[in-house]
Amino acid sequence: MSDSEMSEFSSIVERLERGEVQMKSIERELICPVCKELFSQPLVLPCQHSVCHRCVRELLMPNHDDSLSTDAGSESSNPGSPRSRVPSPSMEKLDRLLRSGSISSPGWRRSSVTPRVTTFPCPGCQHDIDLGERGISMLFRNFTLESIVERYRQAARAAVAIMCNVCKPPVQEATKSCMDCKASFCNECFKMNHPWGTPKAQHEYVGPTTNFRPKVLMCPEHEMEKVNMYCEVCRRPVCHLCKLGGSHANHRVTSMSSAYKILKEKLSKSIHYLISKEDQVRTQISELEVLIRDTEENGQLAETRTCEHFERLLETLQERRTEMLRSIEQSRSLRVERLRAQVEEYQGMLENSGLVGYAQEVLKETDQSCFVQTAKLLHVRIQKATESVKTFQPAAAPAFEEFVLDTGKEELFLKQLSFSGVPEPPVIDLSRCRVYNEALIHWRLSEDSLPTDHHIVEFRKLGSEEEEESSWSASEPVFGCSTVLCDLTSDSSYTFRVRSCRNRVYSPYSPEVTLHTPPAPVFGFLFNEKCGFSAERLQLSKRRDSVESVAGMSLLLSAERVQTGSYICLDYIIGDTGISHGRHYWAFRVQPDSYMIKVGVASDSKLTEWFHNPRDTSSPRYDQDSGHDSGSEDTCFEVSLPFTLVAVGMGRLFIPKASTAAGDHSSRVLPMPQRIGVCLDYDAGRVFFYDADSMRCLYERAVDCSGTMFPAFGLLGGGAVHLEEFITAKRLSYM
């Protein structure tokens, strides 16, 4: 950093320390993600996010009484604090957060006896937070954030003075606050309560405040111990007891002063970088504001067009409704008219009325010629009426069956009505993809994307210089966001792409990704719990697909022997299936904070020797990859041994010493891959170690395969190994 940059950097730090930054501009950083209010007694979660003490308590004990008292120094217990005038997050608000997805419920685990919650998702990052049996007591209070919130409160209520807590009426305005007495005083009261020459005169005082924090940060696990170290694995302050025999015994720690210097320098440099890029940030903000305006305009335009389409649909439905109702009305009127005419006709057949009455009057005619003239036509009418009575038939049917309307198909079509635009292309999630003999491909859609009908995955094998690339092969329609593709060739590169379909309209293809298959077929196995397994120091999962080393009491008791030259032995565990021929590949994950784990292969004869004489095999002069400077490894490295193990730990992978040039230590230490692969060629007598993500070979050597070979793992101190799902899937399916 140049002198000018250093000067500017120093001025920035001084401005930050003097508090010249506008407090109003940092308001959103001071809001609790649960209650959406200013932080009150914020606690630091293991994921480094902060949440109010009261909010964490309500998350852990949702049914607790809100009237439970808090710490004496909390603002919620102070009637005059702004926090006391803001309602605390109630259960109704927490339920609303659960329903809205701000806090996802699947991560919650309740005890079967009490409603106490031990695990909950962080409201900020959604990672599961497990507080264990100690609960809130294991969390640190974020005093730095609390102080910033208090300065913000004071800036927001500058016109409201903090009054003296000791004065008799009339109460005077406070001029200073004592951090030891946890009270505010005016000048006179401060002098009276802190007389010169007494211990109280040595109390620490600051400007008027309502935030009284402890002077020393204490360890939440060992309440009487001050924190004086910083765990680089857990990224939290610890005390010396945590390091000696607690949960951080095998973790890498630094002094608090060193951590303070390093973290402050990193933070200051990051702030300096952001401030130096202020013009660039302002330009990006302008671009984002333009995008916001365009988004709002395009969204309103899309809404308008959608409303127009639905209005046209409504108009069409209204027109059709009018036409169909008119048809029904016409039919109804015609039928009623016919039936009424028939009623009138039949009423005429009644005595003394209508046709019958008229016929009765005709019968009274005595003039024969006149009677014959009239009766001839009347007789015809009477005969028709008589026939009508005998064969009665309504003039119209009352049912309107031909007017029944079936809208099932139309309703289904309307329910499936969606936008006909081109769907957004999905993105393949490499972090969740796995390629073995089969390929597990995961992809994701943007959060605001519309539902799709299905997806199509396409893949092709990339050819070498001598071979041509194969054509694209497509999967069957996939209705989820993952699929398994079978029958892939070993030791080959494949390109994958995905596209979505909605309403028969396909999206563009996702960006292509290339994945390399392992050099051999997958070897499936689980951890063997019956051969050499130490239940005292190793914890095996129920599925036998992961094993964890626990630094228990026995390891601590044996630590005193290190002073006399004795070495603590590794705890070995092997796979439950052996290899006697062919090429085989398996992969696994080593927990990043593991102290030391050895991974590789070993023959059945060598395993018998290890399990019956563990003290000798743990000596660093015995293993060829121990890293000891005795030179014995160099002399025997070219000899084919019945085992090969590579050391992994503290985020590093260590190549055996004799495999590199003398004195070249840098080439021996590699960053630990997220996934490690091992390939054993039994027939050729060689073993290979890979970065399972990139399929890059990290190390290989000869191995004596005269007996049955087993996947072997040795653990020392804290650490864990997790087998890949593809490795355990076939084995678990038979259990």
Side-chain angles (χ1 to χ4, degrees):
M1 186 179 294
S2 64
D3 294 340
S4 60
E5 291 177 339
M6 181 64 72
S7 176
E8 183 181 358
F9 169 75
S10 302
S11 64
I12 292 172
V13 174
E14 292 176 359
R15 285 178 57 210
L16 293 172
E17 293 177 346
R18 291 197 304 266
E20 296 179 3
V21 178
Q22 293 293 329
M23 298 300 294
K24 185 66 176 177
S25 62
I26 64 173
E27 179 178 359
R28 66 178 181 178
E29 301 294 335
L30 311 180
I31 300 297
C32 173
V34 177
C35 63
K36 306 302 181 184
E37 303 289 345
L38 291 175
F39 282 107
S40 176
Q41 294 184 343
L43 301 178
V44 183
L45 301 180
C47 59
Q48 306 303 308
H49 290 102
S50 295
V51 179
C52 291
H53 178 279
R54 188 180 186 88
C55 296
V56 174
R57 190 175 62 190
E58 290 190 357
L59 290 174
L60 291 177
M61 295 180 291
N63 297 324
H64 84 293
D65 187 359
D66 283 344
S67 63
L68 290 174
S69 60
T70 57
D71 296 341
S74 69
E75 288 188 351
S76 59
S77 62
N78 184 1
S81 71
R83 179 77 179 186
S84 64
R85 297 191 294 271
V86 178
S88 64
S90 61
M91 285 308 301
E92 180 181 355
K93 180 179 291 186
L94 292 175
D95 291 340
R96 187 165 62 251
L97 287 171
L98 284 170
R99 290 193 300 268
S100 64
S102 298
I103 302 178
S104 56
S105 57
W108 290 47
R109 293 202 302 267
R110 295 176 180 265
S111 170
S112 59
V113 180
T114 66
R116 184 173 180 270
V117 177
T118 60
T119 301
F120 64 94
C122 170
C125 63
Q126 297 300 310
H127 283 88
D128 282 346
I129 305 299
D130 190 356
L131 301 183
E133 295 299 327
R134 292 180 58 85
I136 296 180
S137 61
M138 71 161 290
L139 299 177
F140 280 106
R141 191 166 159 185
N142 195 337
F143 291 114
T144 301
L145 177 57
E146 196 168 338
S147 298
I148 297 174
V149 171
E150 176 59 24
R151 292 205 300 269
Y152 175 82
R153 291 182 184 275
Q154 292 182 3
R157 62 189 181 196
V160 180
I162 298 177
M163 307 308 292
C164 177
N165 300 133
V166 182
C167 276
K168 296 180 180 180
V171 180
Q172 300 295 317
E173 182 179 342
T175 58
K176 52 181 66 70
S177 296
C178 178
M179 301 304 292
D180 295 274
C181 299
K182 292 182 171 56
S184 299
F185 302 89
C186 63
N187 286 331
E188 295 300 326
C189 291
F190 185 82
K191 293 177 181 178
M192 291 177 58
N193 287 270
H194 300 78
W196 184 258
T198 64
K200 284 191 174 182
Q202 304 299 322
H203 285 189
E204 178 186 359
Y205 65 90
V206 295
T209 182
T210 58
N211 178 36
F212 302 100
R213 71 179 189 182
K215 299 176 65 175
V216 180
L217 192 62
M218 308 299 290
C219 177
E221 296 186 21
H222 310 93
E223 298 177 356
M224 303 303 295
E225 299 295 330
K226 301 177 183 178
V227 295
N228 53 8
M229 291 179 285
Y230 181 79
C231 178
E232 295 184 355
V233 177
C234 301
R235 297 184 300 174
R236 61 177 295 171
V238 297
C239 68
H240 67 284
L241 292 181
C242 293
K243 174 59 180 173
L244 290 178
S247 57
H248 307 271
N250 295 316
H251 294 179
R252 181 177 178 179
V253 299
T254 58
S255 65
M256 189 61 69
S257 59
S258 176
Y260 169 80
K261 181 179 179 181
I262 293 173
L263 292 176
K264 188 169 185 178
E265 183 179 356
K266 288 182 178 179
L267 180 59
S268 301
K269 287 182 177 179
S270 300
I271 295 173
H272 173 265
Y273 175 81
L274 290 177
I275 294 177
S276 65
K277 299 295 183 179
E278 185 172 349
D279 293 338
Q280 181 178 348
V281 172
R282 292 184 183 279
T283 301
Q284 294 173 348
I285 291 175
S286 300
E287 294 177 357
L288 291 175
E289 289 175 348
V290 172
L291 291 177
I292 291 174
R293 289 196 299 270
D294 293 344
T295 302
E296 291 178 348
E297 293 176 358
N298 293 333
Q300 292 176 357
L301 180 60
E303 289 179 359
T304 302
R305 291 176 176 174
T306 302
C307 290
E308 291 176 353
H309 283 290
F310 275 96
E311 287 175 359
R312 285 198 293 269
L313 285 175
L314 292 174
E315 290 176 359
T316 303
L317 287 174
Q318 187 65 32
E319 292 176 0
R320 191 59 183 157
R321 174 177 178 270
T322 302
E323 293 177 1
M324 299 182 76
L325 291 178
R326 185 185 300 114
S327 299
I328 295 175
E329 177 63 24
Q330 291 175 353
S331 178
R332 182 188 63 81
S333 300
L334 181 60
R335 294 185 187 192
V336 170
E337 182 179 351
R338 291 176 179 176
L339 290 173
R340 284 177 178 173
Q342 191 175 15
V343 169
E344 292 178 358
E345 181 181 351
Y346 274 66
Q347 285 178 346
M349 299 180 190
L350 299 177
E351 185 177 3
N352 300 324
S353 65
L355 180 63
V356 175
Y358 173 67
Q360 290 175 344
E361 292 297 326
V362 171
L363 288 174
K364 295 178 181 180
E365 178 64 48
T366 59
D367 188 326
Q368 295 182 357
S369 58
C370 291
F371 176 80
V372 172
Q373 179 184 9
T374 305
K376 183 61 176 178
L377 179 60
L378 179 60
H379 184 258
V380 173
R381 293 177 61 191
I382 291 296
Q383 284 183 330
K384 288 183 178 180
T386 302
E387 188 67 24
S388 176
V389 171
K390 292 180 179 180
T391 60
F392 175 74
Q393 185 70 28
F400 281 73
E401 295 180 355
E402 68 270 27
F403 292 96
V404 174
L405 184 62
D406 182 10
T407 60
K409 295 181 179 179
E410 289 74 10
E411 290 177 5
L412 180 61
F413 175 78
L414 289 175
K415 289 180 180 179
Q416 296 177 346
L417 185 64
S418 61
F419 296 101
S420 59
V422 179
E424 292 187 12
V427 177
I428 296 179
D429 188 355
L430 285 175
S431 63
R432 303 178 64 188
C433 292
R434 298 289 182 268
V435 176
Y436 295 97
N437 311 96
E438 301 172 345
L440 173 62
I441 305 298
H442 278 268
W443 58 90
R444 62 178 183 271
L445 302 172
S446 60
E447 295 180 358
D448 59 342
S449 63
L450 298 172
T452 57
D453 297 335
H454 62 268
H455 307 274
I456 298 294
V457 181
E458 296 185 2
F459 64 99
R460 66 175 178 180
K461 180 181 177 182
L462 298 180
S464 59
E465 295 181 357
E466 296 81 9
E467 299 178 354
E468 295 183 357
E469 293 185 355
S470 60
S471 58
W472 289 97
S473 300
S475 68
E476 295 293 329
V478 180
F479 299 97
C481 286
S482 66
T483 189
V484 176
L485 304 173
C486 305
D487 301 327
L488 302 183
T489 306
S490 299
D491 199 14
S492 302
S493 295
Y494 285 84
T495 299
F496 301 88
R497 64 186 185 185
V498 186
R499 61 175 177 172
S500 304
C501 178
R502 183 174 63 241
N503 295 336
R504 300 182 181 179
V505 178
Y506 285 92
S507 71
Y509 285 104
S510 66
E512 297 180 3
V513 298
T514 299
L515 301 174
H516 197 90
T517 57
V522 171
F523 179 64
F525 66 92
L526 298 172
F527 287 117
N528 193 335
E529 60 182 351
K530 299 179 180 179
C531 182
F533 171 69
S534 172
E536 180 182 1
R537 294 182 296 272
L538 296 181
Q539 291 183 355
L540 194 61
S541 66
K542 293 182 179 180
R543 291 162 51 97
R544 294 194 291 123
D545 58 350
S546 64
V547 62
E548 181 179 4
S549 173
V550 181
M553 184 61 67
S554 59
L555 181 61
L556 295 177
L557 293 175
S558 63
E560 61 183 9
R561 292 179 293 176
V562 175
Q563 300 175 359
T564 63
S566 178
Y567 295 89
I568 302 174
C569 64
L570 292 168
D571 292 309
Y572 287 97
I573 188 170
I574 63 174
D576 61 354
T577 306
I579 300 173
S580 57
H581 65 277
R583 287 167 56 91
H584 303 274
Y585 175 88
W586 60 94
F588 49 87
R589 291 184 297 107
V590 175
Q591 193 165 295
D593 58 351
S594 300
Y595 180 67
M596 186 178 78
I597 295 180
K598 290 191 174 185
V599 298
V601 295
S603 66
D604 48 0
S605 59
K606 191 64 181 179
L607 291 170
T608 302
E609 179 182 345
W610 282 347
F611 296 148
H612 286 81
N613 190 17
R615 182 182 179 91
D616 294 338
T617 59
S618 65
S619 171
R621 293 180 178 271
Y622 186 84
D623 284 351
Q624 90 280 6
D625 59 345
S626 63
H628 192 265
D629 293 333
S630 63
S632 61
E633 300 93 328
D634 298 338
T635 58
C636 69
F637 181 78
E638 294 302 329
V639 179
S640 181
L641 299 175
F643 69 96
T644 293
L645 297 174
V646 170
V648 180
M650 303 302 292
R652 299 289 186 269
L653 185 145
F654 301 89
I655 301 298
K657 180 178 178 180
S659 62
T660 59
D664 186 9
H665 297 286
S666 60
S667 60
R668 293 184 54 214
V669 182
L670 303 176
M672 183 176 71
Q674 293 185 354
R675 298 163 53 237
I676 299 175
V678 178
C679 179
L680 174 65
D681 190 336
Y682 187 95
D683 300 331
R686 298 196 70 82
V687 62
F688 306 81
F689 295 85
Y690 290 88
D691 179 340
D693 288 325
S694 62
M695 291 310 301
R696 179 172 63 93
C697 185
L698 305 175
Y699 170 60
E700 67 171 296
R701 68 153 293 162
V703 61
D704 181 10
C705 297
S706 57
T708 302
M709 306 298 291
F710 290 86
F713 304 85
L715 296 88
L716 174 63
V721 178
H722 309 279
L723 298 179
E724 288 281 306
E725 292 183 2
F726 267 89
I727 306 302
T728 63
K730 294 182 178 180
R731 297 287 300 171
L732 290 172
S733 64
Y734 297 124
M735 296 180 63

